[in-house]
């Protein structure tokens, strides 16, 4: 993390985060119909880069700590940070997380979904459903006065009884003009512990849920994180803001941005 102190965003900054978040949601929505058998992960990447530039924004991952592409495409046993590749062709039965982060007017919008390619196994479908539910259960905990541990507890208490595990090595993060900053947002933990949430805090919730062990391993490319047991992993992500009323999802398609 680049800084330890959790900053509260001003109204002006929050408005920029809304615009960036909304555009990131639109990008992910735009890419969704491309996710089909026969398409390469590089084709999805290249369309993301083209669309992002055409909308006056910048891809945040490209060049970030040396990351070589514009989005992350994490297929099957890949937990996160899968690098798009021309030789990686989607096949029916795959699951793929597409994670986009763009910068608009200096502020970041970060969101991802796991898509089904053709018809994956019942277990794969259940993993994806449970993971999406984990994201929304985490979001539902967010309001002023709640603790960061409430988010992880809600996720862990839902995923584990179903036989799945929660990844620990990667967490959600504060985000604003900086891509990854404080606070860290674990997707496991204890209710009533950790940072107290306050209006103006903005961070991601991005649970990675595994079919088998929670343990991950990073490949020699220094980015691709896979499950140690090579079983499936799924992920969903939103960028959210703590508001006086509770929570606002900044990377929702439904979010209205006043002109
Ligand atoms: N979008 C990822 C996240 O949710 C980060 C990708 S960083 C990259 O935090 F360099 F791997 F692209
Ligand atoms: Co993120
Ligand atoms: Co992301």
């Amino acid at each position: 993390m680049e800084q330890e102190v959790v900053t509260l965003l001003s109204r002006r900054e929050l408005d920029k985060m809304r615009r960036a978040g909304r555009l990131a949601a639109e990008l992910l929505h735009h890419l969704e119909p491309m996710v089909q058998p026969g398409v390469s992960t590089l084709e999805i990447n290249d369309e993301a880069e083209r669309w992002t530039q055409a909308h006056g924004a910048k891809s945040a991952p490209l060049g970030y700590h040396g990351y070589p592409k514009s989005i992350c495409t994490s297929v099957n046993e890949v937990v996160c940070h899968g690098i798009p590749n021309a030789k990686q062709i989607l096949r029916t039965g795959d699951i793929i997380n597409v994670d986009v982060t763009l910068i608009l007017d200096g502020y970041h919008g970060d969101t991802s979904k796991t898509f089904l390619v053709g018809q994956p196994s019942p277990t794969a479908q259940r993993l994806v459903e449970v993971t999406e539910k984990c994201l929304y259960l985490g979001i539902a905990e967010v309001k002023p006065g709640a603790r960061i541990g409430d988010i992880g507890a809600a996720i862990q208490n839902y995923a584990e009884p179903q036989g799945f595990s929660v990844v620990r090595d990667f967490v959600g993060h504060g985000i604003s003009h900086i891509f990854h900053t404080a606070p860290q947002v674990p997707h496991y933990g204890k209710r009533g512990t950790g940072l107290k949430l306050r209006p103006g805090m903005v961070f991601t919730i991005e649970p990675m849920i595994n079919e088998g062990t929670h343990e991950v391993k990073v490949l020699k490319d220094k980015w691709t994180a896979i499950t140690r047991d090579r079983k499936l992993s799924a992920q969903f992500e939103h960028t959210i803001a703590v508001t006086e009323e509770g929570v606002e999802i900044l990377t929702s398609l439904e979010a209205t941005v006043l002109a």
Side-chain angles (χ1 to χ4, degrees):
M1 294 293 147
E2 313 228 350
Q3 56 183 80
E4 292 300 320
V5 175
V6 178
T7 50
L8 303 180
L9 271 64
S10 67
R11 290 182 71 90
R12 189 181 134 275
E13 289 182 296
L14 208 51
D15 202 56
K16 291 187 184 216
M17 287 299 290
R18 285 193 182 97
R19 287 164 202 272
R22 170 71 198 234
L23 195 66
E26 287 174 1
L27 169 58
L28 196 54
H29 183 69
H30 172 74
L31 297 175
E32 179 165 1
M34 278 187 83
V35 180
Q36 298 292 342
V39 97
S40 76
T41 50
L42 188 68
E43 288 174 273
I44 302 170
N45 176 85
D46 291 354
E47 178 55 19
E49 179 59 38
R50 187 202 65 74
W51 192 98
T52 300
Q53 285 184 22
H55 288 78
K58 222 171 86 84
S59 297
L62 187 61
Y64 181 76
H65 293 283
Y67 187 77
K69 296 291 178 206
S70 302
I71 63 172
C72 298
T73 49
S74 301
V75 177
N76 296 337
E77 75 279 7
V78 179
V79 173
C80 63
H81 304 163
I83 303 173
N85 183 321
K87 286 189 224 138
Q88 185 176 43
I89 311 291
L90 296 181
R91 304 185 330 165
T92 184
D94 287 341
I95 61 171
I96 176 180
N97 175 275
V98 178
D99 190 341
V100 303
T101 311
L102 55 73
I103 308 172
L104 182 67
D105 197 12
Y107 286 77
H108 292 74
D110 186 3
T111 184
S112 84
K113 282 185 183 180
T114 299
F115 300 111
L116 307 177
V117 182
Q119 242 204 8
S121 70
T123 302
Q125 293 188 33
R126 193 167 63 87
L127 177 68
V128 171
E129 274 165 29
V130 166
T131 306
E132 183 167 28
K133 178 83 175 171
C134 282
L135 170 59
Y136 287 98
L137 287 173
I139 292 172
E141 294 295 327
V142 176
K143 57 172 184 276
R147 301 280 183 159
I148 217 123
D150 299 347
I151 298 168
I155 293 170
Q156 186 173 20
N157 292 341
Y158 181 69
E160 287 183 350
Q162 314 205 45
F164 296 140
S165 68
V166 179
V167 169
R168 286 132 200 271
D169 289 6
F170 299 96
V171 296
H173 51 92
I175 181 168
S176 56
H177 59 289
I178 303 168
F179 193 169
H180 295 101
T181 185
Q184 292 194 210
V185 184
H187 305 107
Y188 57 92
K190 277 199 176 21
R191 204 162 270 288
T193 65
L195 181 75
K196 193 179 268 187
L197 303 183
R198 297 179 58 189
M201 289 181 178
V202 176
F203 51 84
T204 71
I205 302 178
E206 47 182 297
M208 284 142 276
I209 306 296
N210 292 354
E211 180 189 359
T213 180
H214 68 78
E215 287 184 273
V216 311
K217 160 186 163 166
V218 177
L219 299 184
K220 282 209 268 313
D221 64 17
K222 296 214 167 98
W223 286 104
T224 312
I226 66 167
T227 56
R228 278 210 176 261
D229 58 10
R230 310 294 202 270
K231 292 188 177 180
L232 297 172
S233 183
Q235 182 178 25
F236 284 80
E237 174 175 27
H238 273 310
T239 301
I240 64 99
V242 185
T243 63
E244 300 285 349
E245 294 75 33
V247 62
E248 181 178 339
I249 301 177
L250 303 178
T251 46
S252 158
L253 266 187
E254 283 78 46
T256 37
V257 175
L258 301 178

